[in-house]
Amino acid sequence: MIGARSIAEPTIKDTIIHRIDPRAKILILISTAFIAVTLDNPETMFLLFLIVLSGFALARMPAIKLKTLAILLILLIWGTIYSQALFYSQLPRTVIFTIISPDFPVLGWLTNGGLFVYEEGLRHGAIQGLRSASILSLGLLMCWTTDSRDILNGLVGLRVPYSVAFMVVTAVRFLPIIITEVATVITVQRLRGFNPKRFGSGIIKTSLNILTPTLSNCVRRTGTLAVSIQSRAFRANTERTYLKKLKFSEFDKAVVTICVFAAISIVIIKLLYNLYTSGIYYTSGLRPVYAIARGYL
């Protein structure tokens, strides 16, 4: 139970990743999201993914969180590649494996012409999987290396309304509590003879037995939290004070500048390239830009 809760809670250490200002982490996450969404080149996408993963090594994350990250990434990437390989709808498509032939009785008709694995779908799924994995990994790295109070200060420092920032941080702090409650319910079910891993009706019954007490406890905790913050005059004063003053270091400024500059540059280059490929705008002076977009982005 303690291990399950520690997965969602931050691990506070004194590393270069932990020392980064929370405002800088948020800006880095936003910039990386723009870069990941804009990129289409699989090699560059894989390089971005490796750069994000290197942050976990610098942060010296514990083994349980690395295992959790590995499981999430495997499920995310494998699921994206598998679904895109089977249901890729764009043309051209190259069939590399037939799962259900169109001539197969009943199943061929039910699948509307058979079920195939497409080569282009595998490539498209790998790109989409890497894109999602990069954003997911960086988001987890930010949550696992930043205290929730620092995230609140960082959001407020970036001019996010305090009420919105408070709701975001509260939702993040609820996650380990929910994980703990789910683990408790599963333990109680096992003591009563249920097998959560049994297939068929056992999974459905176990899921309902987990959902009902977990949801009721969440509603009860939410009501208690609402009464608590209102009794402490949550909206009484517009001016708020904070125990910890945030301050950008030279390293924070350099990292944020590089990430924001890279995101803006990549978005502009891809926009110019798309204008060229769609026949809207072309100029010979931008040929190096088109070459960079075609070859690396």
Side-chain angles (χ1 to χ4, degrees):
M1 187 188 309
I2 296 176
R5 181 167 182 168
S6 64
I7 292 174
E9 290 183 337
T11 302
I12 305 303
K13 295 183 178 179
D14 186 20
T15 68
I16 189 172
I17 301 297
H18 289 80
R19 288 194 294 269
I20 295 178
D21 189 281
R23 294 169 296 177
K25 291 180 181 178
I26 296 172
L27 293 175
I28 293 171
L29 179 62
I30 295 174
S31 303
T32 304
F34 273 100
I35 294 174
V37 171
T38 307
L39 289 177
D40 291 315
N41 186 280
E43 290 80 10
T44 309
M45 189 75 70
F46 186 66
L47 177 62
L48 175 66
F49 181 58
L50 292 181
I51 292 174
V52 173
L53 289 185
S54 65
F56 287 86
L58 295 174
R60 301 200 301 270
M61 283 286 105
I64 186 172
K65 292 187 176 178
L66 294 180
K67 290 179 182 177
T68 304
L69 175 67
I71 293 173
L72 292 175
L73 291 180
I74 290 173
L75 292 175
L76 175 64
I77 296 176
W78 178 84
T80 307
I81 293 177
Y82 184 73
S83 61
Q84 290 295 327
L86 293 181
F87 305 108
Y88 186 72
S89 59
Q90 299 180 17
L91 296 175
R93 295 184 297 182
T94 305
V95 177
I96 59 176
F97 185 75
T98 301
I99 297 178
I100 299 177
S101 172
D103 301 329
F104 197 86
V106 182
L107 290 180
W109 174 75
L110 289 175
T111 55
N112 194 23
L115 192 60
F116 309 96
V117 175
Y118 299 103
E119 179 181 352
E120 290 80 5
L122 289 174
R123 177 184 173 87
H124 183 68
I127 295 174
Q128 296 296 334
L130 284 176
R131 178 176 291 134
S132 303
S134 299
I135 300 174
L136 172 66
S137 302
L138 189 57
L140 288 176
L141 180 63
M142 188 189 78
C143 292
W144 285 344
T145 59
T146 311
D147 187 81
S148 55
R149 287 172 296 185
D150 292 337
I151 295 179
L152 176 63
N153 290 347
L155 291 173
V156 174
L158 293 174
R159 306 301 181 188
V160 176
Y162 186 85
S163 301
V164 177
F166 181 80
M167 286 189 290
V168 172
V169 174
T170 302
V172 173
R173 288 182 65 88
F174 257 74
L175 187 58
I177 297 174
I178 294 174
I179 292 176
T180 303
E181 290 183 349
V182 170
T184 304
V185 173
I186 292 176
T187 302
V188 172
Q189 287 184 343
R190 283 176 174 170
L191 293 175
R192 297 183 61 184
F194 285 100
N195 182 9
K197 297 180 180 178
R198 189 175 60 186
F199 287 99
S201 59
I203 290 182
I204 299 175
K205 192 173 183 179
T206 303
S207 301
L208 291 175
N209 290 335
I210 292 174
L211 181 63
T212 304
T214 304
L215 185 61
S216 61
N217 279 334
C218 287
V219 173
R220 180 177 57 82
R221 289 181 185 276
T222 303
T224 304
L225 177 64
V227 173
S228 176
I229 60 177
Q230 290 299 334
S231 63
R232 298 188 180 203
F234 180 73
R235 297 178 181 273
N237 300 315
T238 56
E239 295 293 332
R240 295 184 178 274
T241 58
Y242 304 92
L243 291 176
K244 185 177 180 180
K245 296 293 184 182
L246 299 180
K247 182 180 180 182
F248 273 116
S249 65
E250 296 299 325
F251 178 75
D252 297 334
K253 295 177 182 176
V255 174
V256 170
T257 302
I258 293 173
C259 291
V260 172
F261 177 75
I264 294 175
S265 301
I266 290 174
V267 169
I268 292 176
I269 291 174
K270 288 290 290 187
L271 179 62
L272 292 173
Y273 182 69
N274 289 334
L275 290 176
Y276 158 59
T277 55
S278 25
I280 298 176
Y281 177 76
Y282 169 79
T283 176
S284 58
L286 292 177
R287 285 180 179 176
V289 175
Y290 301 146
I292 292 174
R294 186 187 302 110
Y296 303 101
L297 304 181

